[in-house]
Amino acid sequence: MQKFLARRAVSSAISLVLLVIAVFFLSRLTGDPTDLYLPVDASAEARENFRQIHGLNDPLYVQFGHYMLDLVQLDFGDSIRRARPALEVVTEAFVWTLQLAAITMVGVTFAAIVLGSLAAFRVGGLFDRVATFFSLIGASAPDFWIAIVAIVVFAVGFGWLPTSGTGTVWHWILPVSVLFIRPFGLILQVVRGSMITALSSAYVKTARAKGVAPRATIFVHALRNAMLPVITVIGDQAAGMLNGAVVVETIFGFPGVGKLMIDSILQRDFAVVLASIMVTAFAIFLMNILIDLAYGALDPRIRY
Amino acid sequence: MSEPLLDVRNLSVTFHTARGPVQAVKNVSWSINKGEVLAILGESGSGKSVSASAVMDLIDCPPGEITSGEIYYRGKDLLTMDRLERRHINGKKIAMIFQDPLSHLNPVYKVGWQIEETMVIHGTARAEARTATIALLDRVGIPEPAQAAQKYPHQFSGGQRQRLMIAMALALRPDVLIADEPTTALDVTVQAQILALLEELQRETGMALLIITHDLGVVAEIADRVVVMNAGEIVEQGTAAEVYANPQHAYTKRLIGAAPGKGAIHDNPLGTEPVLRLENVSKNYAAFQALKGVDLVLHEGETLAIVGESGSGKSTTARLLLQLEAASGGRAIYQGRDLFTLSPKELYKMRRDIQMVFQDPTQSLNPRMTVYQLISEAWQIHPDILPRAQWRDRVALLLEQVGLTAEHMHRHPHQFSGGQRQRIAIARALALEPRIIVCDEAVSALDVQVQAQVIELLDRLKDEFGLSYIFIAHDLPVVRDFADRVVVMQAGRIVEQGTTRQIFEAPREAYTQGLLAASLDPDPQIQARRREARLAQETV
């Protein structure tokens, strides 16, 4: 087990370093922040000064060397825009994203598993057809469109909910609901498919021959066996959300890491871009470990 | 006579499939009394399991439909009961065990929990069920029952898994135990143990035991009465001895006639020209030694059987011969060369000389290819055998040689029966004009009548094509009818070899004697004598 974790950590660290290198140089291609932060008519001296402060004067590889040296000491640099440590800015935003993702994914997982299992129990029945119909729509509808329509209807039309921001519970309803739809549709389909296989398996026949009630047959005997592919998709979807629900966060003005990333790219705030990528990458690494552990916990045949 | 415990009357079941309704059983009636062992005997597709599934409420409706009949248990019709009432009977009063215990046990729960569950859902307290489970595990012969209860199904052997199933089924001392092919997937010695255990438990509890089987030997060993089914109908029923000694229906006569192990033993003059010689061949998988120094010789025109139980190394030997896996040591001499050290180019040339027929033709034939493609693919790989212009004629010829017709060429494997598919697999092996064919359990998955036909075909082709066979099998009666010489393997070693007559009539090694003693004879009288001998031995 420890060996497995160590192997995982090493391989993830390697990918993270490669990612940092790529992002570091690619983000420099967006141009010189000086042009963005100083007025058009700023003097050459002022420009020189700005570059000096933010270390933009050195050749790229020297800048990179400095950055990596700082990084080993867990110094992620400062945000040019906000004049604060980049890591602090990112952590703040990431906590918002984490909450949003957690609330949404818990809801999605629960709803998709229960409804998907019930749909699988009577394949082709009315419940199955309705669930399949709506989940397919959910899985295929683009979220920017749903988000805008939701704002138009519930915020502008009825005036029930706020359009953006985070102040109260009401502020969370629209972003969570919009984020909910697509993973719900997708995971429900996977649960349904996986449960159909599990419910037609031999051990379910044994359970029926033992006199196990239908509900226990579905949720005790079949579900645990059907969960492996489901967990893979749940992990995949959750990872996407941790990465920042860029579209939804932007539309709803939600101060999460996805919005922060887009803003910092536009603002050429390199330190923040890099820090966000590293924080989310680390979170995704942790989540993948959790998923692997969940495999082992669900299926005794899987041992690391 | 008092009314039977379980009484199936005029049961008809239809399955509504995409290709229209299929009547699985027609007006089937049978009954079983307390303390009785009834066998339902039939080949695949005979509908032998359907009535038992109906008893257990395991038929999904739709696509299934029970079109007529009643099933009385203690005088009450199960088919008119509500679901809840039937659930109280399932597992408690009527329990069932199945053919393949690995897939019928839930892989993700501990076996102890699964056995407890039977008791808990029928009202036993969890703690009490836990204690009872350990006693049950002990009773069915699982060593260290307390620890075993904490393990998962994949941590047991096949025979132990069937014992676990039996423990689960007997947890609440049911009135009726239905066993659907309970020993088909097991080795002969394990089969004998499981049947003995079932019989013992049946005597101990006085339950009725219903055994569903395709194997006349199982009927002879354990059943009081037998119901013979064919194509969804009961063709004959009576006591096991009566039906075997004096079958009334033509189908039963054919079935008994096809039972292997009753033909003449081959006493062919032994070939003297060795075609293939294995010298001290070994194979390791990590620390596990699958083969520990095997020496054997295959002579020209000979059928050499390799028999042994699972894990004996017989299939590993085949895979090494075909170079599907690399050997860990030793030599395999063919035409003066060591097969294990050939270069890829030489190996490619040699491959056409040694071909293989696998156990399950459903899996060994690519379902997307037509028969023509399946057979002619060999000539694509070895283009020097036959010019393309002659492919079609040769495929037609090969199909005729294996008992099919040229018209079958354009069909896909799923359009054939199991026996026909195995014929296609044989035709494919013959396409390369090999000198040696390795048959790995090639007839094990087939019904007895089809088995007999395929064996006859292999025998005929051997002379026509000048072949030598390595025939790997666990089924001793088939080997007895077909092989010239027999090699007995156990745990990676050859324990005994000799002519078929020597091995079957005067086995020297205790292991071989044990295998032969455990193998079941279709004749109930012979089987009864063997049991007496066995019991006498046990009491000594």
Side-chain angles (χ1 to χ4, degrees), chain A residues 39-100:
Chain A
V40 186
D41 53 357
S43 66
E45 203 176 321
R47 283 169 183 275
E48 186 56 35
N49 203 19
F50 183 87
R51 289 205 187 93
Q52 194 67 44
I53 293 169
H54 296 287
L56 299 166
N57 257 344
D58 302 321
L60 261 188
Y61 64 90
V62 177
Q63 288 185 34
F64 181 70
H66 283 303
Y67 184 77
M68 289 310 273
L69 271 182
D70 290 344
L71 201 56
V72 225
Q73 300 160 48
L74 291 180
D75 178 357
F76 289 75
D78 290 331
S79 161
I80 304 180
R81 172 82 180 186
R82 295 170 179 83
R84 284 166 57 203
L87 187 61
E88 209 178 284
V89 176
V90 172
T91 330
E92 249 167 49
F94 186 72
V95 170
W96 284 109
T97 296
L98 196 61
Q99 292 176 48
L100 185 63

Side-chain angles (χ1 to χ4, degrees), chain B residues 108-355:
Chain B
V108 301
Y109 291 104
K110 290 175 181 158
V111 296
W113 183 88
Q114 296 189 50
I115 296 170
E116 284 162 31
E117 193 196 21
T118 312
M119 292 181 263
V120 172
I121 53 176
H122 291 291
T124 314
R126 176 67 71 175
E128 200 183 315
R130 196 161 294 160
T131 326
T133 295
I134 293 172
L136 274 165
L137 287 173
D138 193 37
R139 177 63 196 89
V140 298
I142 299 282
E144 302 189 345
Q147 284 92 311
Q150 297 301 314
K151 290 189 189 167
Y152 293 94
H154 70 275
Q155 295 168 298
F156 293 88
S157 70
Q160 285 179 324
R161 285 186 205 123
Q162 195 55 287
R163 287 171 192 269
L164 295 169
M165 290 293 291
I166 292 172
M168 189 169 6
L170 295 187
L172 294 166
R173 292 192 155 241
D175 287 340
V176 184
L177 177 64
I178 301 175
D180 189 354
E181 300 270 13
T183 57
T184 305
L186 306 174
D187 283 326
V188 275
T189 49
V190 183
Q191 160 166 290
Q193 290 161 11
I194 294 288
L195 289 177
L197 174 68
L198 281 175
E199 209 178 352
E200 230 174 86
L201 292 166
Q202 189 259 341
R203 250 181 290 145
E204 200 175 291
T205 61
M207 66 183 175
L209 177 59
L210 174 68
I211 293 229
I212 299 163
T213 184
H214 70 282
D215 189 343
L216 277 166
V218 171
V219 176
E221 164 72 12
I222 197 169
D224 301 319
R225 280 194 307 127
V226 58
V227 167
V228 184
M229 288 196 66
N230 178 37
E233 286 177 292
I234 293 180
V235 294
E236 183 156 0
Q237 50 182 316
T239 67
E242 231 173 63
V243 170
Y244 184 80
N246 190 14
Q248 298 301 312
H249 195 276
Y251 174 80
T252 320
K253 285 179 189 163
R254 279 205 307 276
L255 201 63
I256 292 170
K262 296 283 166 193
I265 288 185
H266 287 205
D267 278 317
N268 301 347
L270 289 180
T272 46
E273 195 60 32
V275 201
L276 181 73
R277 181 191 297 278
L278 296 192
E279 291 172 2
N280 198 23
V281 172
S282 64
K283 173 72 186 173
N284 305 332
Y285 295 101
F288 176 69
Q289 290 181 290
L291 284 186
K292 304 164 189 166
V294 166
D295 297 282
L296 62 81
V297 180
L298 175 68
H299 296 109
E300 186 86 57
E302 177 181 59
T303 299
L304 176 69
I306 304 181
V307 302
E309 299 185 287
S310 42
S312 62
K314 53 192 195 302
S315 290
T316 307
T317 311
R319 285 199 297 274
L320 296 186
L321 270 180
L322 286 146
Q323 285 289 288
L324 298 177
E325 281 178 46
S328 308
R331 305 199 304 159
I333 309 298
Y334 173 73
Q335 293 185 334
R337 312 280 307 268
D338 180 5
L339 292 181
F340 295 161
T341 57
L342 292 182
S343 70
K345 210 170 166 185
E346 291 166 316
L347 187 64
Y348 155 80
K349 276 196 181 146
M350 181 283 295
R351 282 199 188 280
R352 47 183 284 195
D353 284 0
I354 307 181
Q355 283 296 301

Side-chain angles (χ1 to χ4, degrees), chain B residues 368-380:
Chain B
R368 307 257 180 273
M369 289 165 84
T370 62
V371 171
Y372 173 77
Q373 288 168 326
L374 283 165
I375 294 176
S376 65
E377 191 188 23
W379 303 318
Q380 233 158 43

Side-chain angles (χ1 to χ4, degrees), chain B residues 19-55:
Chain B
R19 279 182 244 157
V22 176
Q23 194 160 28
V25 291
K26 293 165 219 158
N27 287 320
V28 164
S29 301
W30 51 261
S31 65
I32 186 167
N33 292 305
K34 218 168 158 37
E36 190 184 30
V37 184
L38 174 71
I40 300 184
L41 176 72
E43 297 184 297
S44 45
S46 63
K48 61 184 185 295
S49 301
V50 176
S51 45
S53 295
V55 170

